[in-house]
Amino acid sequence: MNERQEPVHAMGRVLPEDRYNEELVANVHPPDWRNPEPAEGYHLVVLGAGTAGLVTAAGAAGIGAKVALVERHLLGGDCLNVGCVPSKCLIRSSRVVFDIREADRYGVNAPAGYGADFPGVMERMRRLRARISGHDSVRRFSSLGVDVFLGEARFAGPDAVEVGGKRLRFSKAVIATGARAAVPPVEGLREAGFHTNESVFSLTELPRRFLVFGAGPIGCEMAQAFRRFGSEVTIIERAPQFLTREDPDAAAIVSGAFLRDGIDVRLNTVVTGVTAAGTEKRVHLRRADGFEDGIVADEILIGAGRVPNVEGLNLEGAGVAYDPRKGVEVDDFLRTANPRIYAAGDVCQAHKFTHTADAAARIVIQNALFRGRKRYSALTIPWCTYTDPEIAHVGMYERDALERGIPVDTFVREMKEVDRAVADGEEEGFVKVHVRKGTDKILGATIVARHAGEMINEISLAMVGGIGLGALGGVIHPYPTQAEAIKQVGDLYNRTRLTPFVRKLLAWWLKWAA
Ligand SMILES: Cc1cc2nc3c(=O)[nH]c(=O)nc-3n(C[C@H](O)[C@H](O)[C@H](O)COP(=O)(O)OP(=O)(O)OC[C@H]3O[C@@H](n4cnc5c(N)ncnc54)[C@H](O)[C@@H]3O)c2cc1C
């Protein structure tokens, strides 16, 4: 391990070295790649080729800017290689196992001896990841006119970056170096060994006992998937709630689903130490009430938050202010303390998602190259945790509105009241929409449903387009769909407009017109 807590051998390599990972590496870090001779100067130098870096580079090159893109490991960053893509492939396989387990609820006999073939699940993931990687390939970015440099980027002053002994001079630069798993300082953890998102997708054997530190989105998604593959899973969380940021009603539904899946959930619990005993890891726990306990695991996954990649960049030499925990400091225009240098993505944003990295990159292109004044705070940001059921959210939670002194009305439709959800046997969850009190202006919404991530887009669209909840009640949704729950929340709002006075008027009109 180096000071970035990464296995050094992983730079430019992906394990296991099978044909799919070979294809992946050939796309996103070709071993025979020769860095180009730097141009005299670049309009834009991009440090890091994850989502934020790739979107910035492709967008800027597409409008004719001279762009250099520097990546030390794999183009595509976390999302493609060790984040969204592999995790969602695993989740899909885990849902198949669940659906077979539940088959008798649908009048279908489950095949005898069904179960996940873990090596097969992982191979499927590697195959699909390799297929998707063409989009983020060195070849594709070179063909877009981007000068791609593979190597460690480091500022050589306020207007130049160094990579592999070459100097790239820039008018503007973008720091898009992302983040990595935060590893808690637990005694014995390093000696015993652990996985983060950087290594867990290289597993080829299913761990019998799998312990997850942290019930955030990554921990919850992987805990449920591994449990469905057949591991005995324990999830340890210091807080009294899962997914602490989420609506407590939403988190409670997922918590119930985890219990039914047979996940051992330990809330209000901290890990005090780990001791290695042969291939086993003995994990020592302490509950908030002082009760001490222990668990034995074969593999440990750390999902306890993310820290920004700010080390080794010589940010001081470039005049860029940063905080080792929060990342590069940017203003609302995503500009750092050095007005030539911008930042985008996990290295500077509290919302650490691929779609926010993408949105930030688009802001940077406009602000850095065209003196735009696009503000990050103007974005409407949805997100989704892909547990089963999923939790998706956009805008404010009720507590956010109340903290800002905005009074709210909340409208809720339970999925069990939605015909399609009943027919699908997917009744768990709800659509909850908060509006400014006395109006239909949508402030935020939470959806818990099997496909909540797809459903939330309708509400995001309404918020971006300034469409009120009342209007959503008037939008025809095909029957039967689960998204009808959103229209029905709109209907609930519209019914509140039927005040006693309006009722009286209607009664009067009907009497008169009859
Ligand atoms: C397990 C997991 C699942 C996730 N699932 C989802 C999901 O479902 N949906 C979602 O929206 N988000 C998800 N995310 C979050 C998402 O992956 C990140 O928000 C996104 O990748 C951020 O993009 P980025 O460009 O800011 O950073 P990254 O993707 O981290 O890219 C940064 C790049 O910079 C490179 N780099 C760093 N330092 C240097 C340097 N000095 N020189 C050169 N290169 C450097 C790194 O090697 C890396 O390739 C998930 C994350 C994880 C870990």
Side-chain angles (χ1 to χ4, degrees):
M1 301 274 171
N2 60 12
E3 83 279 8
R4 287 191 309 270
Q5 298 156 353
E6 281 173 320
V8 172
H9 72 264
M11 294 290 171
R13 276 183 74 197
V14 183
L15 301 174
E17 288 179 320
D18 69 349
R19 66 186 164 124
Y20 299 121
N21 280 346
E22 259 174 39
E23 183 186 339
L24 173 77
V25 170
N27 275 334
V28 295
H29 191 117
D32 55 353
W33 180 252
R34 295 270 169 275
N35 286 339
E37 270 314 304
E40 238 168 65
Y42 288 97
H43 292 115
L44 199 63
V45 170
V46 183
L47 295 86
T51 305
L54 292 178
V55 173
T56 313
I63 48 178
K66 187 73 194 149
V67 180
L69 174 65
V70 190
E71 170 56 52
R72 69 178 177 198
H73 185 25
L74 306 173
L75 268 71
D78 275 11
C79 180
L80 170 70
N81 300 293
V82 289
C84 329
V85 170
S87 63
K88 268 71 249 179
C89 290
L90 263 53
I91 285 170
R92 182 68 186 96
S93 296
S94 75
R95 281 191 174 204
V96 173
V97 180
F98 174 82
D99 288 346
I100 300 174
R101 188 179 90 197
E102 298 288 300
D104 62 344
R105 284 207 297 127
Y106 298 84
V108 174
N109 297 322
Y114 80 88
D117 158 26
F118 187 72
V121 165
M122 298 307 270
E123 188 183 285
R124 170 184 182 270
M125 176 276 287
R126 295 195 296 274
R127 174 167 51 79
L128 299 179
R129 180 174 61 182
R131 183 173 135 196
I132 292 172
S133 69
H135 200 70
D136 294 352
S137 64
V138 171
R139 197 179 338 105
R140 174 165 172 260
F141 276 77
S142 304
S143 74
L144 294 175
V146 175
D147 281 356
V148 179
F149 294 84
L150 295 181
E152 184 98 25
R154 185 176 186 280
F155 284 102
D159 60 359
V161 165
E162 248 172 30
V163 52
K166 292 182 174 161
R167 188 171 278 243
L168 315 180
R169 299 200 168 278
F170 60 78
S171 305
K172 297 283 162 50
V174 185
I175 304 168
T177 49
R180 63 182 184 271
V183 179
V186 171
E187 208 184 310
L189 179 61
R190 284 186 183 283
E191 294 74 15
F194 59 88
H195 287 282
T196 67
N197 66 296
E198 286 172 28
S199 56
V200 75
F201 300 111
S202 293
L203 282 174
T204 49
E205 271 178 48
L206 183 69
R208 186 163 73 79
R209 293 160 301 185
F210 191 58
L211 187 126
V212 179
F213 283 19
I218 295 170
C220 283
E221 289 181 3
M222 288 302 96
Q224 196 179 35
F226 274 73
R227 175 65 196 135
R228 290 177 172 189
F229 295 146
S231 295
E232 290 165 25
V233 175
T234 307
I235 185 163
I236 313 288
E237 170 58 54
R238 168 190 299 267
Q241 185 190 301
F242 267 39
L243 300 167
T244 41
R245 195 164 50 172
E246 290 305 337
D247 178 300
D249 296 339
I253 291 179
V254 173
S255 178
F258 274 25
L259 291 179
R260 279 196 304 284
D261 271 323
I263 299 173
D264 181 1
V265 177
R266 310 279 183 105
L267 301 176
N268 293 305
T269 301
V270 291
V271 178
T272 52
V274 181
T275 35
T279 55
E280 291 183 347
K281 303 164 206 314
R282 291 181 192 279
V283 181
H284 310 285
L285 307 174
R286 190 185 315 115
R287 264 192 346 220
D289 61 7
F291 178 76
E292 306 224 347
D293 200 358
I295 283 187
V296 179
D298 300 303
E299 299 289 358
I300 294 173
L301 173 68
I302 308 287
R306 314 276 300 159
V307 285
N309 293 326
V310 288
E311 303 82 359
L313 289 166
N314 186 25
L315 293 176
E316 295 81 357
V320 172
Y322 69 98
D323 175 290
R325 275 187 327 113
K326 292 187 191 154
V328 171
E329 288 172 16
V330 287
D331 62 16
D332 206 15
F333 306 103
L334 300 178
R335 205 173 38 187
T336 69
N338 177 342
R340 285 167 168 260
I341 302 178
Y342 289 70
D346 284 7
V347 75
C348 64
Q349 290 166 208
H351 293 106
K352 296 195 184 333
F353 303 110
T354 293
H355 47 276
T356 43
D358 178 310
R362 289 160 199 261
I363 289 179
V364 163
I365 295 170
Q366 296 176 62
N367 290 356
L369 297 181
F370 298 100
R371 300 188 187 181
R373 303 289 289 168
K374 295 279 174 200
R375 289 178 181 273
Y376 183 74
S377 60
L379 297 177
T380 299
I381 299 178
W383 58 83
C384 183
T385 301
Y386 299 89
T387 44
D388 190 8
E390 296 174 353
I391 301 184
H393 180 84
V394 61
M396 291 186 209
Y397 293 98
E398 186 174 4
R399 59 172 183 265
D400 299 331
L402 297 180
E403 269 168 25
R404 292 183 210 179
I406 307 172
V408 296
D409 284 325
T410 299
F411 296 90
V412 183
R413 186 70 168 171
E414 303 272 350
M415 294 308 288
K416 65 179 181 231
E417 295 166 318
V418 179
D419 293 357
R420 180 58 187 273
V422 173
D424 285 340
E426 296 173 358
E427 299 181 38
E428 243 177 358
F430 56 76
V431 173
K432 188 186 268 193
V433 181
H434 308 297
V435 293
R436 183 183 276 273
K437 199 172 189 57
T439 75
D440 75 341
K441 182 180 163 53
I442 301 173
L443 300 173
T446 298
I447 300 182
V448 183
R450 205 165 197 218
H451 301 286
E454 305 290 343
M455 290 166 67
I456 200 76
N457 296 322
E458 182 175 346
I459 301 193
S460 305
L461 175 66
M463 290 177 72
V464 171
I467 298 166
L469 183 56
L472 289 184
V475 174
I476 300 176
H477 289 62
Y479 177 86
T481 48
Q482 295 199 16
E484 269 191 297
I486 296 168
K487 172 188 161 45
Q488 291 169 3
V489 175
D491 289 341
L492 288 177
Y493 165 78
N494 285 332
R495 250 171 258 151
T496 63
R497 293 160 70 193
L498 217 56
T499 58
F501 175 68
V502 176
R503 268 181 208 281
K504 228 184 216 169
L505 267 184
L506 292 178
W508 175 82
W509 167 259
L510 288 171
K511 211 163 146 193
W512 179 81

